[in-house]
């Protein structure tokens, strides 16, 4: 990180980048590692080819509409001034205002943010909520900052992107290493310039300032709803099934809780330190208490230690990758024994692995459907903020289930009609909706 003399940043420091060049989307050369954006484009192209999608529409949808890149100084507690870089990528807003999280992570790149913004467009379209897709991030290790430094960084970043966000323009939310406190700082920063109901500018806020009941557990609950729907179609009796969950964070832990409620026996869980296997079942309460006490899921009493790689290949009925991207690849897809995979994480499966799983008869519920419970409840929060009327947890829950069940039914139907896997089915359904909106608005 470079050290800069103290100079207060202003909006002129922002660089509005041209959207990506053709060159960036060029085919990979041999030996180069695929980026998430390459993956997103490949997934898009599979659906576009089947749909024989108008080349003009393809050209528009392959690139984010706008990317804002900002560099800004933050004064550290010890007086040093460090320069940070952040991005906001707005992919498409044909169906409504842009929507998508903001992550704080050392690995954030413009490429990652572009891919994630594109996935948000499809995710909102699949869920049938009136939003387009966006994503943002700051390249930072937030664990290395004090609370005061984190607040300064959050406020500076949000003030710089305030030019392009707003309750009816672009509505950010939490993502990796950002939370309801970050959203409170963002909202407060925005309120300095716009005092007219600023609550609706971000979702995932604390309850006291317009957050929604049920938002914390929404993504995990949505994963469970989609597993229940898939089980109904596949005639799987959930009470006789076993499950392994990778990642015991927000998504993985709530998925565990709701799947357990649905009768599934979770036999393995993991986090960044490794995993725990207990063939006769791991109760949500016992692993939550153990994680609270020790900080990880390792050495859960009565369990066998396993690696994160081994967890993916266990002999279980259901697998929920809920931690990282790119964990199911062409190297391990053939060894996956689960019949049903529900992607809690964003981008955990490489396109080649999709093909291997489909050929093996594995049903995979793609991320843009399985983990859309979070953004769907964000939509419910935004609606509550706009109408100044707040719903009970039961009401939010009921609305979320209705959204998720409809989304599942549409994706299932589209994949059956086209004889494709559920990911391509979800893309065909989402791209079809976005294209219809673009055409009727006169963009193409
Ligand atoms: P989180 O930070 O709460 O939890 C992440 C979990 O993954 C932690 O348990 C962590 O220990 C574990 N982990 C980290 N590195 C690991 C590794 N190498 N191997 C195994 N586990 C590892 O994050 P989260 O909110 O649960 O998000 C998880 C994934 O779900 C991300 O891909 C995120 O983009 C996606 N997602 C989250 C939401 C949401 O509402 N939180 C919504 C949609 C998608």
């Amino acid at each position: 990180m470079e050290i800069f003399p103290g100079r207060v940043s202003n909006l002129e420091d922002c660089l509005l980048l041209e959207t990506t060049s053709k060159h960036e989307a060029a085919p990979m050369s041999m030996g180069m590692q695929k980026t998430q954006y390459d993956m997103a484009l490949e997934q898009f192209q599979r659906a576009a080819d089947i749909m024989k999608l108008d080349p003009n529409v393809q050209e528009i949808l392959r690139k984010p509409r706008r990317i804002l890149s900002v560099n800004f100084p933050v004064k550290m507690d010890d007086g040093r001034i460090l320069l940070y870089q952040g991005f906001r990528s707005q992919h498409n807003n044909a169906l409504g205002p842009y929507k998508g999280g903001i992550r704080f992570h050392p690995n954030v790149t413009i490429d990652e943010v572009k891919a994630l913004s594109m996935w948000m467009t499809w995710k909102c379209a699949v869920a049938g909520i009136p939003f387009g897709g966006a994503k943002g991030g700051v390249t930072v290790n937030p664990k290395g900052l004090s609370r005061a430094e984190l607040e300064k960084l959050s406020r500076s970043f949000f003030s710089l992107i305030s030019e392009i966000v707003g309750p009816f323009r672009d509505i950010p939310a939490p993502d990796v290493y950002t939370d309801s406190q970050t959203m409170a700082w963002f909202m407060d920063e925005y309120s300095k310039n716009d005092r007219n109901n600023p609550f609706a500018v971000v979702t995932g806020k604390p309850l006291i300032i317009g957050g929604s009941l049920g938002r914390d557990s929404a993504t995990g609950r949505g994963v469970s709803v989609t597993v229940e729907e898939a089980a109904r179609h596949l005639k799987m009796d959930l009470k006789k099934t076993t499950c392994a969950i990778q990642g015991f964070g927000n998504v993985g832990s709530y998925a565990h809780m709701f799947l357990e409620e649905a009768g599934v026996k979770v036999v393995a869980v993991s986090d960044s330190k490794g995993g725990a296997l207990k063939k006769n079942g791991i109760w949500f309460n016992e692993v939550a208490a153990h994680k609270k006490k020790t900080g990880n899921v390792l050495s859960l009493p009565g369990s066998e230690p396993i690696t994160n790689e081994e967890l993916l290949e266990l002999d279980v009925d259901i697998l929920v990758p809920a931690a990282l991207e790119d964990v199911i690849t062409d190297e391990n897809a053939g060894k996956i024994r689960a019949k049903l995979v529900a992607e809690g994480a964003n981008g955990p499966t490489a396109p080649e692995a999709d093909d291997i799983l489909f050929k093996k008869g594995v049903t995979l519920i793609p991320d843009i459907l399985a983990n859309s419970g979070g953004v769907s409840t964000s939509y419910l929060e935004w609606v509550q903020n706009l109408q100044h009327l707040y719903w009970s947890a039961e009401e939010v829950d009921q609305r979320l289930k209705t959204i998720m069940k409809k989304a599942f039914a549409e994706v299932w139907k589209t994949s059956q009609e086209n004889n494709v896997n559920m990911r391509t089915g979800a893309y065909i359904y989402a791209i079809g909706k976005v294209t219809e909106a673009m055409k009727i608005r006169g963009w193409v």
Side-chain angles (χ1 to χ4, degrees), residues 103 116 120 123 135 174-178 215-216 218-220 246-253 270-274 291 295 297 308-309 321-325 327 343-348 367 370-375:
R103 60 175 58 175
L116 290 163
M120 284 308 297
K123 198 179 288 187
K135 201 80 178 193
D175 194 69
V176 178
Y177 294 150
T178 54
R215 175 61 185 88
D216 280 355
T219 309
Q246 184 180 66
F248 198 77
N250 175 280
V251 180
S253 64
S270 72
D271 60 24
S272 56
K273 301 275 178 339
K291 174 121 185 156
V297 304
N308 266 295
E309 293 71 33
L324 299 177
E325 65 281 357
V327 291
E343 293 185 327
N346 282 317
D367 46 9
N371 70 31
S372 64
V375 72

Side-chain angles (χ1 to χ4, degrees), residues 68-380:
L68 178 64
S69 165
V70 295
N71 297 291
F72 56 100
V74 178
K75 192 170 189 180
M76 299 288 114
D77 294 345
D78 62 7
R80 283 176 309 148
I81 310 271
L82 301 189
L83 187 75
Y84 288 94
Q85 186 171 31
F87 311 99
R88 183 74 179 167
S89 168
Q90 298 178 327
H91 176 257
N92 185 285
N93 64 349
L95 288 171
Y98 297 106
K99 184 92 189 81
I102 289 178
R103 60 175 58 175
F104 290 170
H105 195 276
N107 297 342
V108 165
T109 59
I110 197 163
D111 210 72
E112 178 185 72
V113 170
K114 274 160 56 182
L116 290 163
S117 69
M118 193 182 204
W119 282 327
M120 284 308 297
T121 301
W122 314 139
K123 198 179 288 187
C124 293
V126 163
I129 54 178
F131 288 136
K135 201 80 178 193
V138 177
T139 314
V140 57
N141 174 13
K143 291 184 178 171
L145 300 185
S146 70
R147 188 183 159 93
E149 290 165 345
L150 197 56
E151 177 173 353
K152 276 192 258 182
L153 177 128
S154 304
R155 286 183 183 274
S156 295
F157 174 66
F158 207 72
S159 124
L160 284 169
I161 67 163
S162 284
E163 281 287 283
I164 61 163
V165 303
F168 300 103
R169 300 178 76 191
D170 182 353
I171 305 120
D175 194 69
V176 178
Y177 294 150
T178 54
D179 57 15
S180 57
Q181 175 61 75
T182 327
M183 296 306 116
W185 290 326
F186 283 174
M187 190 278 285
D188 188 65
E189 195 60 32
Y190 186 80
S191 76
K192 290 176 182 166
N193 290 321
D194 184 349
R195 291 163 202 270
N196 191 9
N197 188 16
F199 280 9
V201 70
V202 288
T203 57
K205 299 178 293 292
L207 280 181
I208 192 78
I209 50 167
S212 177
L213 290 165
R215 175 61 185 88
D216 280 355
S217 56
T219 309
R221 182 181 281 282
V223 169
S224 174
V225 172
T226 59
V227 166
E228 288 167 57
E229 290 303 289
R232 219 162 42 76
H233 285 282
L234 299 170
K235 307 210 176 340
M236 272 169 102
D237 179 358
L238 283 182
K239 296 195 170 55
K240 294 186 183 144
T241 58
T242 54
C243 174
I245 302 178
Q246 184 180 66
F248 198 77
N250 175 280
V251 180
S253 64
Y254 280 113
H256 186 161
M257 189 170 110
F258 292 116
L259 285 169
E260 187 176 293
E261 268 178 35
V264 174
K265 182 164 45 161
V266 175
V267 295
V269 292
S270 72
D271 60 24
S272 56
K273 301 275 178 339
L277 168 69
K278 236 170 135 174
K279 291 201 174 113
N280 53 4
I282 298 175
W283 295 106
F284 166 76
N285 281 340
E286 69 171 306
V287 65
H290 181 76
K291 174 121 185 156
K292 196 168 171 202
K293 196 163 125 203
T294 64
N296 53 61
V297 304
L298 277 178
S299 342
L300 183 73
S303 74
E304 247 176 81
I306 49 165
T307 65
N308 266 295
E309 293 71 33
E310 286 165 347
L311 178 139
L312 296 171
E313 297 168 15
L314 287 174
D315 187 9
V316 288
D317 301 296
I318 304 165
L319 175 65
V320 181
L324 299 177
E325 65 281 357
D326 213 15
V327 291
I328 305 179
T329 63
D330 53 351
E331 282 172 22
N332 64 358
K335 297 185 209 147
I336 288 193
R337 288 188 272 177
K339 298 173 203 66
L340 179 61
V341 178
E343 293 185 327
N346 282 317
T349 312
E352 302 75 22
D354 266 342
D355 295 338
I356 298 169
L357 294 176
F358 190 52
K359 277 201 198 109
K360 271 168 59 123
V362 176
T363 301
L364 182 144
I365 311 169
D367 46 9
I368 57 171
L369 172 62
N371 70 31
S372 64
V375 72
S376 299
T377 306
S378 274
Y379 162 61
L380 298 175

